[in-house]
Amino acid sequence: MTPKITQIETLLVDIPTIRPHKLSMTSMAVQTMVIVRLKDDQGSEGLGEGTTIGGLAYGPESPESIKMNIDRYLAPLLIGQSTDSVRYLMQRLNVAVKGNMIAKSALQTALVDLKGKHLGVPVSSLLGGAIHSHIPCLWVLASGNTEKDIAEAKELIAAGRHCDFKLKIGSRPVEEDVAHVAAIKAALGDSASVRVDVNQAWDEATAVKGMAALQEAGVDLVEQPTPAKDIDTLARLSNKFEIPILADEGVADSKDVYQFAKQGFNGGIALKIAKAGGPIPALEAAVVSESAGFGLYGGTLLEGSIGTAVAIHAWSTLPTLRWGSEMFGPLLLQDDIIKQPLRYHNNGVDVPNLPGLGIELDELKLAEYQRKD
Ligand code: MUC
Ligand code: MG
């Protein structure tokens, strides 16, 4: 008999970051994750995670809304259902509930973890099978201080942990930001790829100025320089400069990718499990991106180990990640709630190959970081 879902528990977990992480819209000193524990009538458990950045600073879902909306609206649609078809269960959620993609992603993660455990196969196998066992992974320099960022990058290059770096800019005047980036690129030289993420902070005129200067400084990629909804602007910029643009906040799922292609965008796409609503729709966005000739990038919303692991499983099934990935979320946190941390080495991270996500919760750590009120 196929197992039935009996219980879905959500927990808010707060873990401090190793240093303040500064983005154009917020500065993070702590990361909050919504951890999902989905149980069946045979005593198995699937783990999921829904995580965003800076409360409501990044997008329309907050950790608290993710938890509340799972508890109140989404979980009741799954309780008592057979675990047989993940697609059927997601269809039930999508028909009854609009949006809430991070909450849906957390549930889809728990469902594929559970399914993988039942079948004794890693999540990557459920998604068609891994092509890669190691995924390239960059590091984000976001202390806000040029000298600190250079020292941090040099240490990581020497340790062989990362050789590609993304810099968070957009909160300061464009001249200051460009000077900061150019100094880091000059200090690291050709051995390191330096990219920037503006997180929508520039208007088109500022972007024209900023991109010309970043191109001159030898920067490899500019992520979401202008507002998410301004697809025409991003398309114009992508055809104006040699330096490529990576679309992030503007593109969540396969339909968005189609729209980008239609409006003449020419660049890369940051795939994110959380934006798409889970690993399955994220891979659908990858297929349309590849058809449109867009280079792929494995993106994060700075998830902890559970959200990062499911993304790594998904990206491992893609033939090529033109821009690599940024699945470094767990490394930004002071501690972890799983027993065996993900393995970062050789400028990347290993794809777990145990059943399900390949992750085991550390109950003591979970109790330590679980929000109490
Ligand atoms: C984003 O917009 O890319 C990814 C890495 C990071 O530092 O922030 C996130 C969000
Ligand atoms: Mg981004």
Side-chain angles (χ1 to χ4, degrees):
M1 273 256 296
T2 335
K4 284 195 169 32
I5 299 167
T6 51
Q7 194 195 346
I8 298 176
E9 190 187 0
T10 53
L11 314 163
L12 286 168
V13 171
D14 299 301
I15 303 189
T17 56
I18 54 173
R19 55 149 169 74
H21 196 64
K22 295 200 169 82
L23 296 84
S24 70
M25 81 302 279
T26 191
S27 180
M28 279 171 55
V30 65
Q31 181 56 307
T32 303
M33 291 154 270
V34 182
I35 303 301
V36 171
R37 308 187 71 166
L38 185 149
K39 297 190 176 130
D40 69 19
D41 57 4
Q42 297 185 3
S44 298
E45 178 178 61
L47 301 174
E49 176 183 340
T51 295
T52 183
I53 294 173
L56 285 169
Y58 195 92
E61 290 176 271
S62 69
E64 294 76 14
S65 84
I66 294 167
K67 175 176 166 40
M68 155 72 92
N69 289 338
I70 292 177
D71 293 349
R72 174 75 179 82
Y73 297 100
L74 293 159
L77 295 162
L78 299 179
I79 299 293
Q81 296 291 314
S82 149
T83 57
D84 193 33
S85 167
V86 175
R87 279 187 187 271
Y88 169 73
L89 294 170
M90 294 313 296
Q91 177 68 1
R92 273 179 74 80
L93 301 184
N94 287 329
V95 165
V97 176
K98 305 268 183 302
N100 287 278
M101 305 322 276
I102 303 179
K104 287 174 182 170
S105 172
L107 288 169
Q108 189 173 111
T109 301
L111 290 168
V112 292
D113 183 34
L114 188 66
K115 190 92 195 148
K117 284 171 179 160
H118 283 149
L119 297 173
V121 298
V123 165
S124 58
S125 296
L126 298 179
L127 299 172
I131 298 175
H132 308 284
S133 58
H134 187 75
I135 304 291
C137 177
L138 59 62
W139 178 250
V140 170
L141 300 169
S143 75
N145 175 289
T146 311
E147 293 315 314
K148 271 192 195 158
D149 280 359
I150 293 172
E152 196 174 293
K154 284 191 169 164
E155 223 172 88
L156 293 168
I157 293 172
R161 212 183 74 182
H162 305 277
C163 63
D164 298 334
F165 298 93
K166 167 163 135 174
L167 277 56
K168 288 291 192 181
I169 61 170
S171 63
R172 296 182 283 198
V174 62
E175 295 79 9
E176 268 179 48
D177 268 342
V178 170
H180 168 74
V181 176
I184 293 174
K185 176 64 191 167
L188 301 183
D190 288 339
S191 58
S193 170
V194 171
R195 303 107 179 258
V196 299
D197 189 354
V198 193
N199 284 117
Q200 315 182 58
W202 290 342
D203 60 18
E204 189 165 353
T206 311
V208 167
K209 198 169 167 188
M211 286 185 66
L214 291 168
Q215 189 166 300
E216 183 68 26
V219 170
D220 288 322
L221 190 67
V222 179
E223 185 171 332
Q224 197 71 52
T226 47
K229 291 213 183 316
D230 296 351
I231 308 180
D232 281 340
T233 306
L234 212 64
R236 272 194 297 277
L237 290 167
S238 71
N239 288 297
K240 194 178 176 87
F241 292 97
E242 272 171 34
I243 183 170
I245 290 187
L246 185 75
D248 183 7
E249 289 93 318
V251 53
D253 58 18
S254 57
K255 290 199 168 141
D256 295 335
V257 179
Y258 171 73
Q259 201 54 44
F260 267 64
K262 217 170 146 195
Q263 288 183 231
F265 174 71
N266 163 29
I269 299 289
L271 302 169
K272 286 183 185 170
I273 302 292
K275 289 191 296 187
I280 298 171
L283 290 176
E284 287 165 2
V287 171
V288 181
S289 301
E290 280 173 329
S291 307
F294 299 155
L296 298 177
Y297 177 65
T300 179
L301 270 189
L302 300 177
E303 290 98 350
S305 290
I306 297 170
T308 300
V310 73
I312 292 170
H313 279 282
W315 312 154
S316 76
T317 69
L318 295 169
T320 315
L321 284 172
R322 166 69 181 83
W323 297 106
S325 91
E326 56 183 15
M327 307 320 300
F328 68 91
L331 299 174
L332 190 63
L333 306 181
Q334 284 183 20
D335 209 346
D336 209 332
I337 55 164
I338 65 166
K339 282 194 178 152
Q340 288 289 329
L342 293 167
R343 196 163 165 260
Y344 291 86
H345 65 105
N346 289 354
N347 307 314
V349 56
D350 287 346
V351 182
N353 63 1
L354 295 170
L357 293 171
I359 269 179
E360 203 187 333
L361 273 181
D362 182 328
E363 300 286 353
L364 289 177
K365 287 284 175 67
L366 185 67
E368 183 180 344
Y369 293 105
Q370 182 184 344
R371 197 178 288 180
K372 305 294 181 311
D373 53 44

